[in-house]
Amino acid sequence: MSFQPPKPKSRPRRSSLWSYAQRFRRDILSAQPDHLFDARMAEFKTPFFNSFLINEPGLVDEVLRVRPEDFPKSNRIGEGLRPLLGESIFLTSGETWARQRRIIDPAFAGGRLRASWLEMVASTEAAIRRLHGHAGRVIDIEEEASHATADVIFRALFSMPIETSQARAVYSAFCAYQRTAPILNLAALIPLPRWVPRIFRSGTKRHAQDIRTLLRAMTLRRAEEIAAGTAPDDLATRIMTTKDPETGSLFSPEEMVDQVAIFFLAGHETSASALSWALYLLASSPEWQEKVAVEARAVDCKNFNNAKRLTSAAHVLRETMRLYPPVPMMVREATGPERFRDRDVPKGAQIVISPWHLHRHRKLWDEPDAFRPERWAEETTKATARAAYLPFSTGARVCPGAGFAMAEGILMLSMITEAFEIAPVNTPEPVAHLTVRSRNGIHLRLTPRAKA
């Protein structure tokens, strides 16, 4: 019998809008009814707008890849993140978004992943040293993973480890922001004009402003280094010196702050979520933990040329992001009337694409709630299921750092599992905050492995 990791209990199928909003505010995963894991499409009506959750791979492909311009990103969910992310690529649409992608994409092209590999190795080695300090004790791996992935981002973006005072200040401010950041802003349920003030939890806007002030100082300092010819060849330098091929323009300092903020959020928070759940799943699956450890011992992980040989770790990471997709839901908006599965979809309707439901859909996957990394090596895994796998989205708005994130996760998972035997201590309770995390932490005990 395959291991069945924890999954939130779904709400009753029928509930009031107020009850739904209250549940949604606490956790968007348990706020959804169980029948969505079987449904091809479901409609949810409110007095202010209609939402359509689509679980049909063909429809998802239509919205995200074939006609993305007809289904731009909805502003509703982004309302809660705007104080931190401003007009970053995560929140924009249309020509603004297209210009941002034209400037950002080249930074992740070519040999950048190879160049970042040693930075990832250095961050992982630092994490392993910290974990040795907790050896034999119970730790919350989410905190350690958050620290480690933040270190990767600072090294990749600004060529500085998290131990520097500037990086530590940003990281501390971001941790404070996470504790107050809203899951649901009022404007997500009620369409409000942009001039109406948004209500946030205490401290959210202040912490967001603290982060942006720190990032602005780092960005301006890097601009000075670029002008002086002393800037390192890292992601920040590449992005700040890349001109839009159509207009010849560069990012302004404030635009760069927006982009650095989303790189930090996407590159740190989502990677920390995936790494934490992957380590928990390995702790709960000794057979796969041993496979990953043996593989890592046989391969020199520090050599980028060996990255493709870490297949067991890659299968585990893919299966982890299937069960616990870091970003559980994406929301688009119909710019005109549509017809989906013989149902009218009005202009302005919210189109919800939920990796949380697609990745566990009972009609698409064998044993959808089971941890089975071997499915990624099996020819029998349905093509329709693979088409429904969207941890990084797909189409024009696919995450530009997807390759970076996969490489980082596989490397960290391999090196940490090679260094420690991992045992579970609690049963985590999945909830969605900024990403899929555990309400009660992910508590593990790590014991150093004997040297081979």
Side-chain angles (χ1 to χ4, degrees):
M1 180 68 177
S2 302
F3 172 56
Q4 301 272 332
K7 172 184 173 182
K9 183 179 179 180
S10 300
R11 71 164 171 87
R13 182 160 183 171
R14 296 188 180 279
S15 61
S16 68
L17 176 60
W18 175 250
S19 173
Y20 176 71
Q22 291 296 101
R23 285 175 176 269
F24 195 106
R25 188 173 181 83
R26 291 192 300 269
D27 167 36
I28 62 175
L29 305 182
S30 58
Q32 311 307 320
D34 184 73
H35 79 278
L36 295 183
F37 293 106
D38 291 293
R40 296 291 188 178
M41 187 169 110
E43 182 177 4
F44 179 72
K45 294 183 178 181
T46 80
F48 310 104
F49 62 88
N50 285 16
S51 287
F52 293 84
L53 183 139
I54 54 174
N55 276 340
E56 175 69 57
L59 279 180
V60 172
D61 192 59
E62 182 81 6
V63 169
L64 294 182
R65 192 181 64 82
V66 179
R67 293 196 291 138
E69 66 281 358
D70 294 333
F71 302 97
K73 188 165 255 186
S74 171
N75 287 326
R76 295 184 189 276
I77 299 303
E79 291 285 352
L81 295 174
R82 203 167 294 280
L84 174 63
L85 302 184
E87 294 298 314
S88 76
I89 194 169
F90 185 73
L91 299 180
T92 55
S93 295
E95 177 52 33
T96 299
W97 170 84
R99 171 179 171 270
Q100 291 170 342
R101 284 298 294 246
R102 291 195 298 266
I103 293 174
I104 289 170
D105 283 353
F108 290 93
R112 186 60 218 170
L113 185 55
R114 177 183 289 273
S116 297
W117 189 257
L118 291 180
E119 296 160 351
M120 296 176 188
V121 169
S123 296
T124 308
E125 289 176 330
I128 289 172
R129 288 193 295 270
R130 290 192 299 272
L131 290 170
H132 271 294
H134 301 298
R137 299 199 296 267
V138 175
I139 62 169
D140 185 345
I141 200 64
E142 287 189 310
E143 296 178 5
E144 300 299 329
S146 183
H147 190 152
T149 56
D151 191 22
V152 172
I153 286 299
F154 278 115
R155 291 175 190 262
L157 267 174
F158 288 106
S159 298
M160 63 172 66
I162 199 169
E163 284 75 17
T164 64
S165 59
Q166 299 152 299
R168 288 295 299 177
V170 174
Y171 178 61
S172 297
F174 194 87
C175 289
Y177 174 82
Q178 286 175 295
R179 289 191 289 269
T180 63
I183 302 168
L184 176 67
N185 191 276
L186 180 63
L189 290 181
I190 303 173
L192 298 173
R194 291 298 297 271
W195 55 265
V196 175
R198 272 47 173 172
I199 301 172
F200 296 93
R201 296 174 184 172
S202 175
T204 298
K205 293 184 74 172
R206 174 168 52 83
H207 294 314
Q209 190 57 49
D210 289 344
I211 295 170
R212 292 183 64 83
T213 297
L214 292 164
L215 293 180
R216 188 175 294 108
M218 294 169 70
T219 300
L220 291 174
R221 187 174 300 110
R222 175 52 56 86
E224 293 172 356
E225 293 170 345
I226 291 171
T230 59
D233 182 24
D234 51 25
L235 283 175
T237 296
R238 288 191 175 202
I239 294 168
M240 293 175 70
T241 57
T242 297
K243 294 181 178 180
D244 176 6
E246 293 191 9
T247 67
S249 63
L250 296 165
F251 278 145
S252 69
E254 200 62 19
E255 286 178 308
M256 188 61 190
V257 171
D258 291 344
Q259 308 315 323
V260 172
I262 187 54
F263 292 149
F264 191 78
L265 175 65
H268 147 248
E269 173 68 10
T270 58
S271 295
S273 169
L275 180 61
S276 300
W277 285 111
L279 289 169
Y280 166 74
L281 291 169
L282 284 185
S284 304
S285 307
E287 177 185 352
W288 274 97
Q289 182 179 161
E290 188 62 19
K291 283 184 180 181
V292 172
V294 168
E295 177 182 82
R297 281 197 297 270
V299 173
D300 177 12
C301 298
K302 298 178 185 180
N303 187 335
F304 178 76
N305 294 327
N306 294 331
K308 291 184 178 179
R309 296 173 59 190
L310 299 171
T311 55
S312 293
H315 293 337
V316 168
L317 186 63
R318 289 191 181 96
E319 182 70 347
T320 299
M321 291 192 293
R322 184 187 71 82
L323 290 166
Y324 301 105
V327 180
M329 292 187 186
M330 298 172 274
V331 185
R332 301 293 187 261
E333 185 170 310
T335 58
E338 301 285 345
R339 184 80 174 168
F340 286 173
R341 292 184 61 83
D342 296 324
R343 191 178 299 182
D344 288 327
V345 176
K347 178 181 178 180
Q350 304 299 288
I351 310 300
V352 180
I353 298 162
S354 173
W356 178 257
H357 293 95
L358 276 167
H359 291 185
R360 292 173 179 261
H361 201 281
R362 296 174 186 128
K363 296 176 181 175
L364 296 175
W365 301 90
D366 294 328
E367 295 187 86
D369 292 326
F371 176 62
R372 292 186 58 244
E374 65 272 17
R375 76 173 79 239
W376 297 101
E378 293 173 350
E379 293 296 328
T380 55
T381 297
K382 300 174 185 175
T384 51
R386 292 177 182 269
Y389 182 66
L390 306 169
F392 300 107
S393 188
T394 189
R397 295 198 75 119
V398 68
C399 173
F404 186 101
M406 281 297 297
E408 174 190 5
I410 291 168
L411 177 66
M412 286 191 152
L413 195 59
S414 297
M415 291 181 65
I416 292 172
T417 307
E418 180 187 11
F420 299 98
E421 293 182 1
I422 312 165
V425 175
N426 73 331
T427 300
E429 183 183 348
V431 294
H433 291 295
L434 293 177
T435 54
V436 176
R437 292 301 194 113
S438 172
R439 190 188 303 277
N440 55 335
I442 299 178
H443 298 150
L444 305 176
R445 182 177 283 107
L446 276 63
T447 305
R449 292 183 185 270
K451 296 289 185 180

